[in-house]
Amino acid sequence: MNLTTALHIIAVIACFASGALTVLKSTHIFQLNSYKSKVQLKWIKSNWRKYIPSILALVIAVIGIFTNSVGAYIAFYVVAILNAIAGKPLKNAKKPLVYTARVKRLLASTAVMIAVLLGLTFIGKSASLFGVCLVLALMPFAVLAGNAVNAPVEKAIRQHYINEAKKMLKACPDLKVIGITGSYGKTSVKYYLSTVLKAKYNVLMTPESFNTPMGVVKTIREQLRPTHEIFVCEMGARNVNDIKEICDIVFPDYGIITSIGEQHLESFKTIDNIVKTKFELYDAVENKENMFLNGDNENISKKLASLGDDKCHTYGLNSDNEAYAYDISVSQRGTTFSVFCRGQRLENLQTPLIGEHNVTNILGVISVCLSLGLSEDDIRIYLRKLTSPPHRLQLSRRGANAIIDDAYNSNPAGCKAALNTLALFPDVKILITPGMVELGDKQYECNYEFGRQAAEVCDYVYLIGKKQTEPIYNGLVEAGFPKEKITVAGSFIEGFNSANAVEYNKPKVILIENDLPDNY
């Protein structure tokens, strides 16, 4: 074996080892990006600095065309080490890489492809440094290539699971399916509705944020039983036809549209596309008397007016709605209110939930429950058992201090509702936030306005990420908020620890508004 061959073998091993780390990290990001290639490419473009070693490998590849010198190989080894450091998997990730069956198939295909490409760098008796460098340079895209290779298999597996879920639903002919969608409020309504319906029915709901087609399918395949009488199905969307895709699986008998607003504008492009997508649930429910809509929401009321449909049920704080609330009283211990719903009055209802936005959500729940035959007494009792869904204005106490965890929120209306809830407390009010994302061209404007709103409520603000939160900072300052009361932290942990460490002469309440995953 000559020196060049030995150096080349070492280079191949170094490339595979270094590239493996990059592939693991890329797979993690790809999973966070919902396995969407376009989103992954955009992430790579936005984070190109993370791939400087790959760019250097490309430079060495060009040099390798003309020479396989010892110096070029040594330069490659250095780049491979730098690439390994830059490409190491995310440490202490908020949402770690989950080694699902799909991820395992993806990693296997990607590894085989890389091994084949590296093997091709040995042609006859010669060895090319150019080939090894090129493989390392293209490593950030290896996962995308592996995903493309696996696409037919993944499509077949996906369809098999969908068909299996459909068969299971068909085997439960008496099961009532309630679809819930909206730009915000859908998860809360799902939890509240499922809780109250348990007064009379055996209920299955999609857990946590399982609101994608495969999340719904997974819930059905793993949890649906013949004894279930109602399936409460949350439906999320980032693109037109996403709701229709879920409806074509579960065929909802009832539908609730909680809200329509500026969320995921980056993928939807326009508010009209969001309206169209949310109303795909309306289109799927055959009996329009089984549709329940938040009539206070301007986008919903406009769309409903254009349809000329007077069969749907509307709810909200406005008395123009079929179901509305009055005599609302909010304290730190909860909310008391009365409801008028289709000629029936339910007075002095109580819930431990805080805020008028929760009253709106509960109105939708009451309207549906009355339609499904629940008594006023059942509704009254179970409203007292409601608790906030995890990370959605979830209130917890730490001694005299309190934390409002609204980490799973990223839309203008939700952020405003969270600030309104924070304003109810007489304590020192602290906001921790990285701001809102996926708002397209309106992202700066919405975050700037969020800053102005926060200035009216908060005593101290901790911003997570300087570049990301610049519009919030500008909104705060221009609204007259003192700069010395604004802290910009590099990470959520840093910001939270700083806010938690400061002592004041009275209790404090910390609002955690949104917590971006690691791909932001």
Side-chain angles (χ1 to χ4, degrees):
M1 181 185 296
N2 59 35
L3 178 61
T4 300
T5 303
L7 291 171
H8 191 77
I9 291 173
I10 297 172
V12 167
I13 295 172
C15 179
F16 196 89
S18 176
L21 295 174
T22 300
V23 166
L24 281 175
K25 184 174 183 178
S26 296
T27 302
H28 189 184
I29 298 298
F30 195 42
Q31 189 176 71
L32 293 173
N33 285 330
S34 303
Y35 303 107
K36 294 184 182 296
S37 297
K38 288 184 179 179
V39 179
Q40 183 79 355
L41 286 170
K42 186 173 182 180
W43 189 91
I44 292 172
K45 181 180 178 181
S46 300
N47 294 271
W48 66 270
R49 288 181 179 84
K50 298 180 185 292
Y51 298 106
I52 289 176
S54 296
I55 297 170
L56 292 174
L58 194 60
V59 172
I60 299 173
V62 174
I63 297 173
I65 295 175
F66 305 102
T67 175
N68 277 342
S69 67
V70 173
Y73 273 107
I74 292 173
F76 171 78
Y77 300 150
V78 172
V79 166
I81 292 171
L82 292 175
N83 186 73
I85 295 171
K88 63 183 179 181
L90 299 168
K91 186 178 181 181
N92 299 322
K94 298 170 187 174
K95 189 175 181 181
L97 174 62
V98 181
Y99 287 89
T100 62
R102 176 173 183 171
V103 166
K104 291 175 183 177
R105 289 192 295 270
L106 179 58
L107 291 174
S109 297
T110 305
V112 170
M113 288 175 55
I114 293 170
V116 170
L117 289 174
L118 288 173
L120 291 175
T121 62
F122 291 94
I123 302 174
K125 295 182 179 180
S126 64
S128 170
L129 177 62
F130 168 74
V132 182
C133 292
L134 190 60
V135 171
L136 188 64
L138 296 175
M139 203 64 74
F141 305 97
V143 170
L144 293 175
N147 185 61
V149 169
N150 285 2
V153 174
E154 297 300 336
K155 183 177 180 180
I157 293 172
R158 175 188 174 95
Q159 193 58 52
H160 169 73
Y161 288 152
I162 289 174
N163 292 340
E164 194 174 87
K166 285 182 175 180
K167 287 180 182 178
M168 292 180 68
L169 287 170
K170 194 173 182 180
C172 302
D174 297 327
L175 182 73
K176 293 181 176 67
V177 179
I178 304 175
I180 303 176
T181 192
S183 299
Y184 47 91
K186 56 184 177 291
T187 302
S188 296
V189 170
K190 174 186 70 175
Y191 273 87
Y192 304 160
L193 180 62
S194 298
T195 299
V196 180
L197 284 175
K198 286 176 183 177
K200 183 176 181 179
Y201 297 101
N202 189 348
V203 182
L204 170 67
M205 75 169 184
T206 49
E208 300 173 347
S209 294
F210 278 47
N211 57 17
T212 63
M214 296 316 293
V216 171
V217 166
K218 181 180 175 69
T219 302
I220 295 168
R221 291 178 62 248
E222 295 182 357
Q223 298 185 35
L224 181 63
R225 300 291 180 268
T227 52
H228 283 126
E229 298 169 288
I230 291 181
F231 176 35
V232 180
C233 179
E234 181 180 349
M235 302 178 176
R238 290 176 181 265
N239 299 280
V240 175
N241 291 326
D242 280 359
I243 300 299
K244 182 180 184 301
E245 185 178 356
I246 299 176
C247 289
D248 288 344
I249 296 171
V250 302
F251 299 102
D253 303 293
Y254 294 77
I256 306 173
I257 302 179
T258 63
S259 60
I260 297 178
E262 296 167 328
Q263 191 176 39
H264 303 312
L265 272 172
E266 193 168 322
S267 54
F268 277 116
K269 305 302 181 186
T270 67
I271 191 70
D272 288 340
N273 283 337
I274 299 177
V275 173
K276 177 183 177 182
T277 303
K278 300 304 179 185
F279 267 78
E280 288 169 3
L281 174 57
Y282 170 91
D283 296 334
V285 174
E286 186 175 347
N287 185 355
K288 303 309 177 189
E289 292 184 357
N290 291 343
M291 279 300 305
F292 302 83
L293 303 98
N294 179 356
D296 286 350
N297 184 273
E298 184 178 356
N299 291 310
I300 291 177
S301 58
K302 280 183 179 179
K303 179 64 175 179
L304 201 55
S306 70
L307 293 171
D309 190 341
D310 59 357
K311 294 182 179 179
C312 297
H313 304 291
T314 61
Y315 63 88
L317 302 181
N318 193 314
S319 60
D320 291 339
N321 292 296
E322 188 179 42
Y324 63 87
Y326 59 96
D327 291 343
I328 301 173
S329 175
V330 180
S331 70
Q332 292 185 47
R333 290 184 293 181
T335 306
T336 302
F337 60 101
S338 297
V339 170
F340 179 84
C341 183
R342 298 198 292 281
Q344 184 173 349
R345 291 186 184 275
L346 289 76
E347 297 188 336
N348 296 317
L349 299 173
Q350 296 179 350
T351 177
L353 301 173
I354 297 174
E356 289 189 345
H357 64 286
N358 271 321
V359 174
T360 300
N361 291 334
I362 291 172
L363 279 165
V365 169
I366 291 173
S367 189
V368 174
C369 288
L370 289 175
S371 295
L372 287 170
L374 267 73
S375 68
E376 177 181 340
D377 287 341
D378 285 338
I379 292 172
R380 186 179 298 277
I381 291 169
Y382 277 79
L383 286 184
R384 293 176 180 173
K385 297 181 180 182
L386 297 182
T387 57
S388 296
H391 310 296
R392 288 172 172 85
L393 285 178
Q394 187 177 24
L395 180 65
S396 61
R397 293 275 180 185
R398 293 191 177 183
N401 300 319
I403 295 175
I404 303 174
D405 182 354
D406 202 34
Y408 284 6
N409 211 342
S410 184
N411 64 82
C415 289
K416 186 175 181 181
L419 288 173
N420 289 340
T421 302
L422 181 65
L424 296 171
F425 290 78
D427 312 322
V428 175
K429 303 172 186 65
I430 301 171
L431 169 66
I432 303 177
T433 183
M436 295 171 277
V437 296
E438 297 184 355
L439 293 173
D441 294 338
K442 289 197 171 184
Q443 187 155 311
Y444 185 96
E445 175 189 339
C446 290
N447 279 297
Y448 174 83
E449 183 59 28
F450 179 35
R452 293 187 64 86
Q453 293 167 352
E456 297 177 5
V457 175
C458 304
D459 297 305
Y460 296 88
V461 175
Y462 289 78
L463 302 177
I464 311 303
K466 184 176 181 180
K467 183 179 179 181
Q468 171 73 27
T469 58
E470 184 178 343
I472 303 176
Y473 182 91
N474 292 340
L476 283 163
V477 173
E478 292 181 30
F481 195 80
K483 291 183 180 180
E484 62 271 17
K485 293 187 176 183
I486 305 173
T487 301
V488 180
S491 67
F492 170 78
I493 294 298
E494 179 187 336
F496 180 80
N497 288 342
S498 297
N500 203 39
V502 179
E503 296 294 336
Y504 303 96
N505 56 6
K506 63 178 180 176
K508 58 189 173 186
V509 56
I510 298 175
L511 169 62
I512 301 170
E513 188 58 27
N514 203 11
D515 183 15
L516 300 178
D518 299 285
N519 51 325
Y520 285 99

